[in-house]
Amino acid sequence: MKRRNFIKTLAPLGMTPLMVNGMPVRAMADSMFAPMFSCDEISDRALVLIQMHGGNDGINTTIPVEQHAEYMNLRPTIGIQNITSLDQTIDVADQLALHPQMNLMRDLYDSGMVNVVQGVNYENSNKSHFKGRNIWLTGGDSTTEGQDKSSGWFGRYLDHTYPNFPIGYPNSRMLDPIGLEFGSRTISLGFHRESGVPAGLALSNDPTSFYEMISGIGGAYPSQIPITRYGSEMQYLIDIQRSSDKYGQRLNDIYNLGTNMVTYPERYGTDGKWNTLAGQLRTVARLLSGGCRTKIFLVRITGFDTHTNQVESSDPTTGNHAELLYNLSSALKAFQDDLTALGIAERVMTVTFSEFGRQVGENGNHGTDHGTLAPMFVVGRGVNPGITGTSPNFSEIDRNNFTSFQYDYRQVFTTLLQDWLGLSDMGLQSVEFQDFIGQKLDLVNSNYDDGQGNTVDFVVDPTCYDAATTFPVGLLYFHANAQEDNTVLLNWATGNEINNSHFEIERSVDAFVFQPIARVEGAGNSEQEIRYDVIDEQPLPGISYYRLKQTDFDGTYTYHGIIQVNLEESDPFKARMEAYPNPATDKVAVTISAAERISGMISVYSLNGQKVIETSFPIRPGVNQKEISLTHLQPGVYVVEVSGSANTLGEGVQLGRTKLLVNR
């Protein structure tokens, strides 16, 4: 009997009901008597990527059993002499042994939670660290076009799955960052999109430290950005800061709501390398337990560039590489145990990768040099356990590297994107993995026995993606146009509506902070074109922004883009008035020029139209100035308006309006 079939007959770990602070933790929930995963539950799944920086020596990680003699001939001082087959139920040609320091990975394999993918690479592997990492992160290859991609494959995936990001995010469908990266102060190329800010957020520390850090940074954003290269770069930095501001509080909240149920390893032995990977995975588990629905997590473990002292000369089972593999295995074991104890193991799949493998033969310095292929580990409750592929052929070597590989790394990622995350074929085209749709691997379990007599199918029908991400309203257009009477006409149309309760028009001075100004009831359900329009009778002066919020009957909502209107040309009094300083703190001086005596009034409004200050302002011919105290106002954006009455003007004519940012 195949070992993977034997595993399916075993009861999984962690099926005992678990209580935390007297509250039951959901472990497989109500799905015992129904299909485990429906289309609606795709949004709960996450993919955790473990990047092994430096180029992992895959040959000492997964040691060939049948070709062990040939292996030792090529690695007489760094080879592992005493090995035990990981799985004796499969053909001997396919059998491998894990490094002795990976016993905890063996435990996960014996529990049916690991698939080892052998011989992974791409044609003409690039052996440069930087170029190699870029290729794996961007989903490229060794061709000129494949090497020069400017966006990452998981950035393209997230861009397709969460359209218009970051506009309209966070929202009720996605409150959390769509991608998170740990162990770095800068965001990986993998999260970059074709344009705009990356689809991920980098946290070098835990979310609480991140929130405390960003809370003390920055001030008011510039009111105008020049249309220059400098301005473009400035806007990019502003967008990054805004994204951090949006999610800092949310991450802090769910981190504090979450918990960990197991103890994670801190280091290898008493004086070995600190297990930084364990800390990153511990944070991921805690965020997930607190309700985080981030789709892609990227964590990393460094130090795999083992040119020298890869092993201890006295014992090749010890040394730098041994410590790294122990830290990888122990961190993964603790993470999987934690997810199981928390009742969320069915939501998470983890996969390892490195920019390249090492050469077949040792280099004379108790180490190995840059090579080509290496294994990948796919770990999780939903994995189809076993070994995919066979050990590399040690009789087919050229220039100390294997002459062929078995699987393109994009086959692994394509499989996980579609079978695990439910991405459609159209989505895979957006990720630029369309060439691998027909080359997927058997990595996600379609026949898992949950130990209770129920068969669970973890593989997602790719049509689920389209069903799960279809918006309840098919928006045909959304327009805003300035009118001659200084109003703004907003109109939009829908081609279909499903359970549509209502629309709201929201307005902003900076495309960041929005306030609702109008509500329009929806049609509920409709399959024909319906047109809507709203007039903003008191628009903001200068450039302002509008967005459309659509809400279902159940309260979930979706944003449909941001559009801009410029009223500067239609405001004849704008040049006559100014407020200084702007941004202001405790007070502002309002200055206005006039050719005659006017009975004036200064009014300050919040963005929702509430008048918060009103004071008289006698205006004489010439330049007039009045100072207004702002100490009682909360920080935010306001509109200052000067109106006046005179024989030549009439009653209550608007003389000028301007935006004012109060910032303390």
Side-chain angles (χ1 to χ4, degrees):
M1 182 170 63
K2 288 288 187 181
R3 185 181 188 286
R4 66 183 59 181
N5 295 326
F6 174 73
I7 287 294
K8 293 171 187 175
T9 67
L10 299 179
L13 299 176
M15 295 306 297
T16 304
L18 181 69
M19 305 293 286
V20 179
N21 296 329
M23 299 288 288
V25 174
R26 180 176 67 89
M28 312 301 271
D30 298 326
S31 55
M32 291 298 184
F33 305 102
M36 173 68 74
F37 293 107
S38 67
C39 290
D40 293 337
E41 291 171 307
I42 298 174
S43 59
D44 288 334
R45 289 189 175 187
L47 181 63
V48 178
L49 307 170
I50 298 179
Q51 185 175 11
M52 302 163 72
H53 262 246
N56 176 47
D57 179 16
I59 300 172
N60 265 21
T61 302
T62 55
I63 304 161
V65 172
E66 188 178 43
Q67 303 175 84
H68 188 248
E70 292 86 344
Y71 156 86
M72 288 300 302
N73 285 336
L74 291 162
R75 297 184 165 215
T77 62
I78 72 167
I80 309 299
Q81 181 65 56
N82 299 314
I83 61 172
T84 302
S85 175
L86 178 65
D87 189 344
Q88 296 183 14
T89 69
I90 62 177
D91 294 339
V92 66
D94 299 337
Q95 290 183 30
L96 59 86
L98 292 180
H99 191 284
Q101 296 298 334
M102 299 185 75
N103 284 332
L104 293 174
M105 183 73 82
R106 174 187 287 271
D107 291 345
L108 286 173
Y109 186 89
D110 290 340
S111 299
M113 296 188 186
V114 176
N115 189 297
V116 185
V117 186
Q118 288 277 64
V120 184
N121 198 16
Y122 56 92
E123 289 288 352
N124 300 318
S125 176
N126 190 299
K127 301 178 186 64
S128 160
H129 287 295
F130 301 107
K131 184 64 71 173
R133 287 172 193 156
N134 286 353
I135 287 174
W136 277 75
L137 292 171
T138 61
D141 51 39
S142 58
T143 66
T144 300
E145 181 181 355
Q147 291 191 55
D148 295 334
K149 292 180 183 292
S150 60
S151 61
W153 68 260
F154 31 109
R156 296 192 295 273
Y157 158 72
L158 293 169
D159 201 26
H160 176 82
T161 307
Y162 300 96
N164 298 321
F165 179 86
I167 297 171
Y169 295 85
N171 56 50
S172 63
R173 285 183 170 83
M174 190 54 172
L175 293 169
D176 305 302
I178 57 179
L180 278 174
E181 177 171 356
F182 295 90
S184 175
R185 295 182 181 275
T186 58
I187 197 70
S188 163
L189 176 60
F191 280 111
H192 280 245
R193 304 179 298 143
E194 289 297 330
S195 62
V197 298
L201 195 65
L203 278 69
S204 58
N205 299 303
D206 63 74
T208 298
S209 301
F210 174 76
Y211 174 65
E212 292 173 350
M213 177 186 70
I214 65 170
S215 296
I217 291 178
Y221 298 114
S223 58
Q224 293 188 0
I225 305 296
I227 306 176
T228 61
R229 181 173 181 179
Y230 164 81
S232 176
E233 298 300 324
M234 175 63 72
Q235 186 65 59
Y236 181 83
L237 294 175
I238 290 171
D239 290 341
I240 291 288
Q241 179 64 33
R242 282 174 172 165
S243 180
S244 300
D245 291 342
K246 287 181 185 179
Y247 293 115
Q249 179 68 62
R250 167 68 177 173
L251 289 171
N252 183 61
D253 290 345
I254 58 177
Y255 181 75
N256 290 330
L257 282 172
T259 188
N260 297 109
M261 301 300 296
V262 304
T263 300
Y264 284 73
E266 292 188 348
R267 65 196 305 169
Y268 174 87
T270 57
D271 58 355
K273 289 182 173 63
W274 285 100
N275 198 334
T276 56
L277 176 63
Q280 296 170 57
L281 291 176
R282 179 174 55 225
T283 300
V284 172
R286 183 166 172 176
L287 286 171
L288 289 169
S289 72
C292 182
R293 296 173 70 185
T294 294
K295 213 65 180 166
I296 299 284
F297 294 90
L298 177 64
V299 297
R300 56 173 50 82
I301 177 172
T302 62
F304 286 92
D305 195 20
T306 51
H307 290 281
T308 60
N309 301 320
Q310 177 173 320
V311 304
E312 295 288 343
S313 58
S314 59
D315 183 1
T317 66
T318 62
N320 290 329
H321 193 235
E323 292 183 11
L324 289 166
L325 294 180
Y326 175 83
N327 283 347
L328 172 70
S329 302
S330 60
L332 264 171
K333 180 64 164 61
F335 181 57
Q336 201 60 45
D337 288 351
D338 203 7
L339 296 175
T340 300
L342 291 165
I344 55 176
E346 71 275 11
R347 289 178 49 195
V348 185
M349 192 78 82
T350 304
V351 59
T352 68
F353 71 97
S354 191
E355 61 260 38
F356 46 67
R358 315 297 291 188
Q359 290 187 351
V360 184
E362 60 187 54
N363 63 10
N365 295 312
H366 293 100
T368 51
D369 297 326
H370 298 185
T372 54
L373 54 86
M376 297 174 69
F377 294 92
V378 185
V379 183
R381 173 161 287 166
V383 76
N384 191 19
I387 298 172
T388 298
T390 188
S391 296
N393 192 336
F394 279 74
S395 64
E396 296 179 357
I397 298 172
D398 179 43
R399 299 179 184 180
N400 209 11
N401 279 301
F402 294 112
T403 57
S404 62
F405 64 97
Q406 295 180 71
Y407 303 110
D408 190 294
Y409 74 98
R410 289 164 290 191
Q411 292 178 254
V412 177
F413 292 141
T414 296
T415 302
L416 296 178
L417 284 175
Q418 185 159 91
D419 291 357
W420 179 250
L421 295 181
L423 188 61
S424 64
D425 288 354
M426 181 180 66
L428 287 171
Q429 290 180 359
S430 297
V431 179
E432 300 177 14
F433 283 177
Q434 64 272 10
D435 292 344
F436 302 94
I437 294 175
Q439 302 178 46
K440 293 190 300 180
L441 307 178
D442 189 15
L443 300 178
V444 182
N445 207 331
S446 60
N447 188 26
Y448 179 83
D449 190 317
D450 66 6
Q452 305 293 318
N454 302 298
T455 298
V456 176
D457 187 351
F458 283 92
V459 178
V460 177
D461 183 341
T463 60
C464 274
Y465 170 83
D466 300 316
T469 58
T470 298
F471 292 126
V473 166
L475 190 71
L476 300 179
Y477 60 82
F478 176 41
H479 298 152
N481 295 287
Q483 306 298 296
E484 292 182 358
D485 60 354
N486 281 347
T487 63
V488 173
L489 173 63
L490 300 117
N491 48 32
W492 65 98
T494 61
N496 65 281
E497 298 183 22
I498 304 173
N499 296 323
N500 179 25
S501 170
H502 62 274
F503 297 97
E504 288 179 272
I505 295 290
E506 295 183 350
R507 185 178 65 193
S508 173
V509 297
D510 60 0
F512 181 53
V513 178
F514 283 83
Q515 296 288 341
I517 62 168
R519 171 175 167 145
V520 178
E521 297 304 311
N525 295 290
S526 170
E527 295 183 358
Q528 61 186 8
E529 181 176 339
I530 300 178
R531 299 179 182 181
Y532 299 87
D533 60 74
V534 165
I535 294 178
D536 184 2
E537 296 182 347
Q538 293 185 320
L540 302 177
I543 298 175
S544 56
Y545 304 87
Y546 297 87
R547 69 181 181 186
L548 185 66
K549 178 182 179 181
Q550 179 274 321
T551 303
D552 296 350
F553 287 119
D554 64 3
T556 57
Y557 57 86
T558 303
Y559 285 106
H560 294 273
I562 293 178
I563 52 181
Q564 174 182 304
V565 174
N566 189 344
L567 290 179
E568 289 182 338
E569 298 302 324
S570 61
D571 185 354
F573 300 107
K574 186 175 187 298
R576 298 186 181 186
M577 174 197 163
E578 65 177 15
Y580 182 84
N582 191 2
T585 53
D586 298 327
K587 58 186 178 181
V588 65
V590 178
T591 302
I592 191 165
S593 302
E596 61 179 294
R597 185 180 297 272
I598 300 172
S599 177
M601 183 71 69
I602 297 178
S603 303
V604 179
Y605 297 90
S606 64
L607 287 186
N608 62 10
Q610 180 182 2
K611 187 184 293 185
V612 294
I613 294 176
E614 184 175 71
T615 182
S616 61
F617 183 19
I619 301 173
R620 297 176 176 82
V623 178
N624 300 263
Q625 186 176 84
K626 185 174 180 65
E627 192 173 272
I628 300 175
S629 174
L630 306 173
T631 55
H632 65 291
L633 297 184
Q634 294 293 320
V637 179
Y638 297 85
V639 174
V640 180
E641 178 182 279
V642 177
S643 59
S645 300
N647 292 334
T648 57
L649 292 175
E651 297 293 325
V653 174
Q654 182 190 115
L655 302 177
R657 301 178 84 202
T658 189
K659 303 166 191 172
L660 174 67
L661 176 62
V662 177
N663 184 30
R664 299 188 182 91

